[in-house]
């Protein structure tokens, strides 16, 4: 332990010895230089000692220091630094010491400071460090030797830097620090005419000093005196070292450098000119101050006020009138201030954009300035929150300009191409636009992802768009941002709408002031009853209002108008302004009315406001202000009205204003100054409503006063609703600009930027801006070269193959269609047009409708980086690679189309909202009908129409779960298509019915037909009604499809329309020889299985069966089978009859009503079915072929026998006889007579006679079978007479030239059988109460007299 202490002690002694040696060396060097003889001096004083020429005290101090150097007990760190520093400072301050000695002394001080011989804790450090500043900054320089002087100044700069870097620099006073900086700047100024090295060193030192001073700024505590209006520190704080006082003074000094002027001589004259180098240097230093201080500036009110007022005023003033370099530096300064102090410079930032950047960017400014202004705007847009904050703070506030919107429009204007090649500023502006698009898109996607994480499901709700004003809210009042962010965002969005409505109201107001004010009421911008303050703020802050109309309104004597005038005047802040400036500012906002009483009211309102806010006691009363305002207005008229011949002099003006200030005069100097101001610069009394183009001192004072009462700059993060609204404000020019740049530019890099911007816009537009997305797609579809109606297929294909731009466009369009198809509406039309053109150019792969993985597709649509991925899809490198691989043009084109993933648009359409799905379907259907299409050949038309229906079918199958929702609209589109003036149903209907049938089969196979069956078949029926020939041209396919439905899925068809359509197609397409067998076998298979026959399809089965049987070329054996099955089906009717009438597959609600129940009973009544069956067989009994006719009669008889239980009631039985058997007999009899009248028709006549004979036999047999229920009918007598009448008709049938009829041979036997049976069952008896016996007797006697005695032995009556 003792050894270690010994070692430390030795080290300390060696260090102290080293410092002593150093000081000894420096003292010796200074003395040597001082004693160095001057050649001139030796010439005159040969025996004079050199020390006698200099101050003895200076030399003595050096010698005294040397005597202390090697004291063994000397410990320099604990020694007062003045002991070894003061001697050198004396040398520096001495007027007699040569420059070379001063330089050596400065070097010695520099060495002492760098070696750190003392620090802030060393006794006497405060005094010595401040003394060093005083000595060095007061150093006298020789004027005779510029070289030596430059060297000394260089040393001074080094020493000053070392002082500020020294640990003891914290003990410097604010005054010392300011002196250091000022001295350094003086060197900068003096070095302007000296060597470049000195000037560079001085500037570098100045910058380094500023960095040192302001690097400790964040750690400086806020002092109480800073909140006072005094510009000096309190004494108590001066003892604690330099701090905010020096920082404020230095910053004020740097701001003042902005006003430095040089005196330029030209043509013998001198005039002041702006010192640009000094301004740039000052801005450079100011930027350093801001960068180092950061947001801590906001904690120091005095410095903050200086930035808000002095600095910004200079920045705005010189931003317009300076060089590009200065504007660039100013823009950088404002950007830094935005980062650290934007909470406190809301109005200043708006003024900078309004009066500098947006003004400079206006045409007419030097091109260099325009470039800098555009670049500055882009730099602001690059900041993470600027876009959102600018929109919220300015665009959504009715009292501010639309900064965000105007910046974007300026960028659009500059980026819009004007020639074949883009200039640098156009490319730069476009990049700025792209930055804005990407910013909004990236964050709008991030917001969605965050919302999904919170809610667990995807939600695209961004709130309503556009927002509606539902209630009155004072538009001039700001709501602070609170904890309820959603409520605040809704408030901001409504405020933006209010601002838009205010501008519309302003437009109305300029045309008709009453309509404008009424519009304010309608849009709920003004309360009911009206609020005077609302009118006042409308007049004050709405741009481009008619000033004359405002003046007339404000001067009106109506009480409400007077209230508005007062509120309007209260919007002005005249604090710190003189009367001249205040009156000018006031009268710039409207045109003073011409009527004297109106002028009085306006001037009186102004006088009250100004008097209340005047900063001095110049005016004794409000009346004094008003009288003097009148005098000023009269002076303005006198001085600037060309009709005034003799103008007022200054003395006249002074004389006119005597004793107006409460009986006293206003100061003469004040009156003279005001007279000169009005004489040289007239009051603005015109009615021009143009925008304010420059910032004058009056407006600046108004701005500062207003900033004291305005809400601070609102800091906010991005919100999806705001992002969507932001883009909606710039969507029109943005889309047009992107499209124009893509069209006119050929640079690959810019083209890729266009595509990336395109994707970003699409990512934004999917959230409620569907019209913008549609416009975007329509714009880019034309760049594919596929939609040129005047180009041939060969020209289109050549343009597409030999240019990279169409390929990029087609990739972009279809990738967007895939990713954002949920949001596309009207844009589908151009997409479908492009798709069909690709089809006609044979560029679509065969498997374009292949099924893709929906999950991967949806993931890609959500991926915000998909535009980056697109960038690798098409480039010159990929083209060269394709050429190196030996791919042909066609193969290259096909590779591009494959990347478009066209099929997934339709196969994954299940995610489409209903609106998009309807729009897409409508576009395809209309395109299939030929709307907007141009076909070169019928084959091309047929292929295109078929492809369209493939797309529709693919979409329908992908959305089978909601087919019942959207297909009714598709059906309406089909009806609309049929009304097109030049619509041709071929091949539209043909391709449509084929696709619809395929779709039906797939839906049936997947059990997805329920609920959609009638809808689909309704469209199928419409198609064959459009063109009935398609049932012949497509008969094989339709028959095959119908057959599959019947044989494979009979249990899945549940509706009347479905069965009717399928069986109608079966019967219609099966009538051809090549399809007959298939059709008949399908029908037989259907009817052979009793489970396939339902109450729903029974009627249509009968109709289909009759249609096949009625065919001329049908096979008899097939017909026989069909009729047998028909007859056997009567057993089903009996079963249904026993089980009840209602259909098992249908249900009738309790509130259905009796009408619905009766209708259901009528439809599903088995007796009605039986009559339909009988009528069908009755019709078949008239067939040309005898075998068919006879079997039809036999089948009819069979059906009646099987339906005995069904016809158990008298009514049903008699009705069936009338409708079926009687009708059959009558028709056969009539047909027989018709044949008998024809020539050479004996065979047909005899054949028909034979069938009639069988029919009469069936009539008699069925009568006897159902005699009991028939006889119980009240109409039995009439029914019996009907049978006798038909027997009589047949008995007396005449066949003309073909001879006697053979019917009389069978009729008597039939009569005998029926009468005898009736007598046996006592239905026909002589003792009956009615006259049936008598009637029958006479009828038999008439029909077959030979039977009378046999059948009626009793005679006509019992007697």
């Amino acid at each position: 332990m003792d050894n270690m202490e010994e070692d430390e002690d030795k080290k300390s002694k060696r260090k102290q010895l080293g410092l002593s040696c150093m000081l000894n060396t420096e003292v010796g060097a200074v003395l040597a230089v001082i004693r160095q003889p001057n050649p001139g001096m030796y010439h005159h004083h040969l025996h004079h000692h050199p020390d006698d020429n200099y101050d003895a005290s200076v030399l003595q101090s050096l010698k005294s220091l040397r005597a202390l150097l090697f004291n063994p007990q000397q410990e320099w760190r604990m020694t007062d630094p003045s002991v070894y520093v003061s001697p050198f400072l004396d040398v520096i301050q001495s007027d007699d010491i040569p420059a070379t000695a001063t330089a050596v002394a400065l070097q010695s001080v520099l060495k002492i400071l760098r070696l750190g011989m003392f620090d802030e804790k060393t006794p006497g450090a405060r005094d010595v460090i401040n003394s060093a500043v005083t000595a060095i900054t007061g150093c006298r320089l020789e004027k005779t030797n510029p070289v030596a002087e430059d060297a000394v100044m260089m040393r001074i700069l080094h020493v000053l830097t070392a002082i500020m870097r020294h640990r003891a620099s914290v003990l410097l006073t604010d005054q010392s620090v300011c002196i250091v900086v000022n001295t350094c700047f003086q060197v900068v100024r003096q070095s302007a005419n000296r060597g470049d090295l000195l000037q560079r060193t001085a500037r570098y030192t100045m910058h380094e000093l500023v960095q040192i001073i302001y690097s400790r700024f964040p750690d400086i505590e806020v002092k109480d005196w800073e909140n006072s209006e005094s510009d000096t520190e309190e004494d108590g704080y001066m003892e604690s070292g330099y701090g905010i006082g020096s920082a404020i003074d230095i910053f004020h000094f740097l701001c003042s450098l902005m006003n430095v002027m040089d005196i330029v001589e030209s043509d013998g004259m001198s005039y002041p000119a702006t010192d640009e180098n000094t301004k740039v240097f000052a801005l450079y230093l100011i930027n350093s101050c801001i960068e180092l201080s950061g947001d801590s500036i906001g904690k120091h009110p005095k410095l903050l006020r200086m930035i808000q007022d002095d600095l910004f005023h200079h920045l705005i003033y010189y931003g317009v009138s300076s060089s590009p370099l200065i504007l660039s530096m100013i823009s950088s300064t404002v950007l830094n201030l935005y980062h650290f102090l934007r909470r406190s410079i809301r109005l200043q930032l708006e003024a900078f954009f309004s009066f500098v950047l947006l003004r400079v960017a206006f045409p007419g400014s030097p091109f260099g300035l325009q470039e800098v202004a555009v670049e500055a705007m882009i730099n602001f847009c690059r900041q993470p929150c600027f876009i959102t904050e600018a929109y919220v703070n300015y665009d959504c506030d009715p009292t501010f300009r639309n900064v965000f919107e105007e910046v974007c429009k300026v960028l659009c204007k500059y980026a819009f191409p004007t020639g074949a090649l883009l200039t640098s500023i156009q490319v730069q502006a476009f990049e700025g636009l792209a930055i804005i698009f990407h910013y909004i898109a990236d964050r709008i996607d991030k917001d969605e992802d965050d919302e999904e994480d919170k809610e667990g499901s995807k939600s695209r709700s961004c709130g309503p768009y556009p927002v509606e004003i539902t209630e009155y809210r004072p538009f001039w009042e700001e709501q602070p941002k609170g904890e309820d962010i959603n409520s605040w965002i809704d408030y901001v969005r409504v405020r933006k709408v209010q601002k838009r409505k205010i501008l519309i109201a302003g437009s109305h107001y300029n045309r008709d002031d009453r309509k404008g004010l009424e519009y304010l009421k309608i849009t709920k911008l003004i309360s009911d009853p009206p609020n005077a303050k609302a009118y006042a703020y409308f007049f004050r802050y709405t741009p481009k209002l008619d000033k004359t109309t405002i003046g007339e309104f404000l001067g009106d004597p109506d009480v409400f108008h007077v209230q508005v005038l007062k509120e309007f005047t209260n919007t002005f802040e005249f604090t710190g302004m003189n009367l001249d400036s205040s009156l000018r500012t006031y009268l710039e906002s409207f045109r003073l009315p011409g009527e004297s009483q109106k002028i009085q009211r306006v001037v009186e309102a102004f006088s009250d406001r100004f008097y209340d806010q005047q900063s001095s006691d110049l005016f004794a009363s409000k009346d004094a202000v008003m009288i003097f305002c009148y005098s000023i207005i009269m002076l303005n008229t006198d001085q600037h009205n060309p009709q005034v011949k003799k103008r007022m002099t200054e003395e006249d003006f002074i004389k006119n204003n005597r004793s107006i200030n409460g009986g006293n005069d206003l100061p003469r100097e004040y009156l003279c100054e005001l007279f000169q101001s009005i004489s040289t610069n007239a009051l603005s009394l015109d009615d021009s409503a143009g925008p304010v183009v420059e910032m004058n001192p009056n407006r600046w004072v108004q701005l500062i006063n207003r900033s004291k009462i305005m809400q601070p700059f609102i800091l906010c993060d991005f919100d999806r609703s705001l992002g969507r609204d932001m883009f909606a404000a710039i969507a029109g020019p943005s889309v047009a600009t992107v499209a124009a740049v893509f069209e006119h530019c050929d640079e690959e890099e810019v083209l890729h930027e266009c595509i990336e911007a395109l994707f970003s816009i699409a990512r934004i537009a999917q959230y409620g801006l569907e019209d913008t997305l549609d416009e975007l797609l329509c714009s880019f579809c034309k760049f594919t070269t596929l939609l040129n109606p005047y180009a041939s297929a060969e020209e289109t294909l050549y343009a597409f193959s030999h240019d990279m731009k169409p390929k990029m466009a087609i990739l972009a369009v279809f990738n967007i269609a895939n990713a954002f198809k949920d949001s596309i509406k009207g844009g589908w039309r151009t997409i479908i047009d492009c798709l069909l053109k690709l089809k006609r150019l044979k560029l679509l792969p065969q498997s374009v409708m292949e099924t893709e993985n929906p999950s991967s597709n949806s993931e890609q649509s959500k991926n915000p980086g998909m535009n980056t991925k697109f960038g690798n899809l098409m480039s010159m490198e990929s083209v060269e690679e394709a050429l190196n691989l030996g791919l042909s043009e066609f193969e290259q084109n096909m590779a591009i189309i494959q990347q478009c993933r066209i099929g997934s648009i339709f196969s994954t359409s299940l995610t489409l909202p209903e609106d998009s799905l309807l729009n897409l379907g409508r576009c395809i259907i209309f395109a299939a009908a030929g709307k907007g299409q141009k076909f070169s050949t019928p084959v091309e038309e047929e292929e295109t129409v078929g492809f369209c229906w493939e797309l529709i079918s693919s979409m329908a199958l992908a959305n089978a779960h909601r087919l019942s929702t959207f297909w009714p609209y598709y059906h309406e589109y089909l009806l609309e298509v049929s009304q097109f003036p030049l619509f041709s149903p071929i091949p539209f209907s043909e391709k449509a019915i084929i696709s619809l049938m395929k779709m039906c089969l797939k839906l049936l196979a997947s059990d997805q037909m329920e609920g959609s069956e009638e809808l689909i078949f309704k469209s199928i029926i419409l198609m064959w009604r459009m063109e009935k020939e398609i049932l012949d041209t497509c008969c094989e396919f339709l028959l095959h499809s119908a057959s599959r439905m019947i044989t494979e899925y009979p249990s899945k068809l549940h509706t009347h329309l479905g069965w009717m359509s399928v069986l109608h197609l079966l019967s219609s397409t099966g009538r051809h020889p090549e399809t007959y067998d298939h059709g008949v076998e399908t029908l037989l298979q259907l009817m052979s299985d009793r489970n396939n026959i339902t109450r729903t399809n029974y009627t249509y089965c009968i109709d289909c069966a009759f249609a096949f049987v009625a065919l001329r070329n049908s096979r008899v054996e097939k017909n026989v089978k069909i009729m047998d099955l028909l007859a056997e089906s009567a057993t089903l009717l009996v079963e249904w009859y026993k089980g009840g009438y209602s259909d098992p597959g249908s249900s009738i609600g309790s509130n259905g009503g009796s009408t619905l129940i009766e209708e259901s009973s009528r439809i599903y009544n088995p007796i009605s079915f039986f009559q339909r069956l009988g009528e069908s067989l009755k019709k078949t009994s008239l067939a040309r072929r005898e075998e068919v006719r006879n079997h039809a009669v036999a089948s009819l008889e069979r059906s009646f026998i099987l339906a005995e239980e069904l016809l158990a009631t008298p009514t049903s039985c008699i009705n069936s006889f009338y409708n079926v058997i009687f009708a059959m007999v009558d028709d056969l009899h009539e047909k027989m007579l018709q044949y008998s009248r024809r020539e050479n028709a004996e065979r047909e006549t005899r054949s028909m006679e034979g069938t009639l004979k069988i029919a009469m036999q069936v009539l008699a047999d069925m009568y006897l079978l159902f005699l009991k229920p028939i006889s119980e009918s009240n109409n039995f007598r009439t029914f019996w007479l009907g049978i006798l009448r038909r027997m009589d008709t047949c008995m007396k049938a005449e066949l003309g030239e073909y001879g006697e009829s053979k019917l009389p041979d069978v009729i008597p036997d039939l009569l005998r059988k029926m009468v005898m049976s009736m007598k046996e069952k006592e239905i026909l008896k002589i003792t009956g109460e009615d006259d049936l016996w008598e009637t029958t007797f006479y009828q038999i006697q008439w029909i077959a007299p030979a039977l009378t005695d046999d059948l009626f032995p009793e005679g006509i009556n019992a007697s």
Side-chain angles (χ1 to χ4, degrees), residues 73-101:
Q73 304 300 322
Q74 184 70 46
E75 189 172 344
W76 294 110
R77 185 168 293 280
M78 301 307 296
T79 302
D80 188 339
S82 61
V83 172
Y84 50 84
V85 175
S86 296
F88 297 104
L89 297 180
D90 293 341
V91 173
I92 295 171
Q93 286 182 297
S94 176
D95 295 338
D96 302 328
I97 301 299
T100 52

Side-chain angles (χ1 to χ4, degrees), residues 472 475 517 520-521 523-531 534-535:
Y472 166 72
F475 60 84
L517 298 178
L520 290 174
K521 296 179 182 177
T523 54
K524 300 178 181 177
L525 294 170
I526 291 179
S527 60
D528 189 14
N531 184 352
Y535 280 85

Side-chain angles (χ1 to χ4, degrees), residues 709-856:
I709 60 174
M710 280 294 292
Q711 291 280 349
F713 193 95
I714 302 171
L715 305 181
C716 58
D717 296 325
F718 183 87
D719 178 82
R720 192 196 306 171
S721 300
L722 292 178
R724 190 262 312 279
D725 294 353
M726 288 161 56
F727 183 76
I730 61 169
S734 297
V735 171
T737 301
V738 173
V741 171
F742 188 83
E743 180 179 11
H744 291 88
C745 180
D746 293 322
E747 298 179 21
E748 183 181 350
E749 183 178 353
V750 178
L751 291 177
H752 277 282
E753 287 182 5
C754 286
I755 297 299
E756 291 176 2
L758 173 70
F759 271 89
S760 292
I761 293 174
R763 287 157 59 196
I764 303 167
Q766 65 178 318
Y767 298 101
L769 301 178
E770 290 82 2
D771 292 344
T772 300
L773 184 58
D774 293 339
E775 180 185 355
L776 192 70
L777 289 169
C778 292
S779 299
F780 269 75
C781 279
K782 69 179 182 180
F783 301 135
T784 62
T785 69
L786 300 175
L787 301 183
N788 185 355
Y790 305 105
S792 63
E794 293 76 11
E795 292 171 339
T796 302
L797 188 59
Y798 182 85
F800 183 82
S801 302
H802 292 80
D803 191 356
M804 185 173 66
K805 193 181 295 184
K807 298 177 182 178
M808 294 178 71
I810 199 74
L811 268 173
V813 166
F814 281 105
N815 274 279
I816 288 177
N818 268 295
F820 309 108
K821 56 180 175 287
D822 295 5
S823 305
I824 302 174
K825 290 186 177 179
W828 285 120
R829 177 178 176 181
T830 49
I831 293 174
I832 295 302
D833 288 345
C834 289
L835 179 59
L836 298 183
K837 191 58 178 280
L838 290 173
K839 176 68 176 177
R840 292 199 286 273
L841 293 175
K842 311 295 183 185
L843 290 180
L844 286 182
Q846 294 296 325
S847 57
V848 68
M849 298 311 301
E850 63 187 3
T851 303
E852 300 188 21
N853 186 355
S855 60
S856 63

Side-chain angles (χ1 to χ4, degrees), residues 226-298:
E226 293 186 61
N227 295 317
S228 68
E229 294 299 324
S230 173
D231 291 331
T232 59
E233 294 187 47
E234 296 178 4
D235 295 337
Y237 295 114
M238 295 182 67
E239 299 298 325
S240 61
Y242 79 93
I244 186 61
S246 58
I248 292 174
D249 291 342
I250 293 170
F251 199 87
H252 184 269
F253 169 70
L254 296 178
C255 291
S256 67
L257 294 181
M258 298 284 292
N259 286 325
V260 173
M261 307 292 287
D262 276 347
I263 303 301
V264 179
E265 296 185 0
S266 178
D267 299 330
M269 297 181 64
S270 299
Y271 57 90
T274 302
D275 184 358
E276 182 172 320
N277 290 332
T278 303
K279 284 186 175 61
V280 173
F281 183 55
L283 287 167
Y284 184 65
L285 296 177
I286 290 171
N287 260 329
S288 296
C289 296
I290 297 169
E291 291 162 359
L292 293 168
S293 303
D295 54 4
S296 59
I297 295 178

Side-chain angles (χ1 to χ4, degrees), residues 976-988:
E976 190 176 347
V977 158
S978 64
Q979 304 301 319
F980 285 177
L982 302 177
F983 172 69
S984 174
I986 298 294
F988 181 85

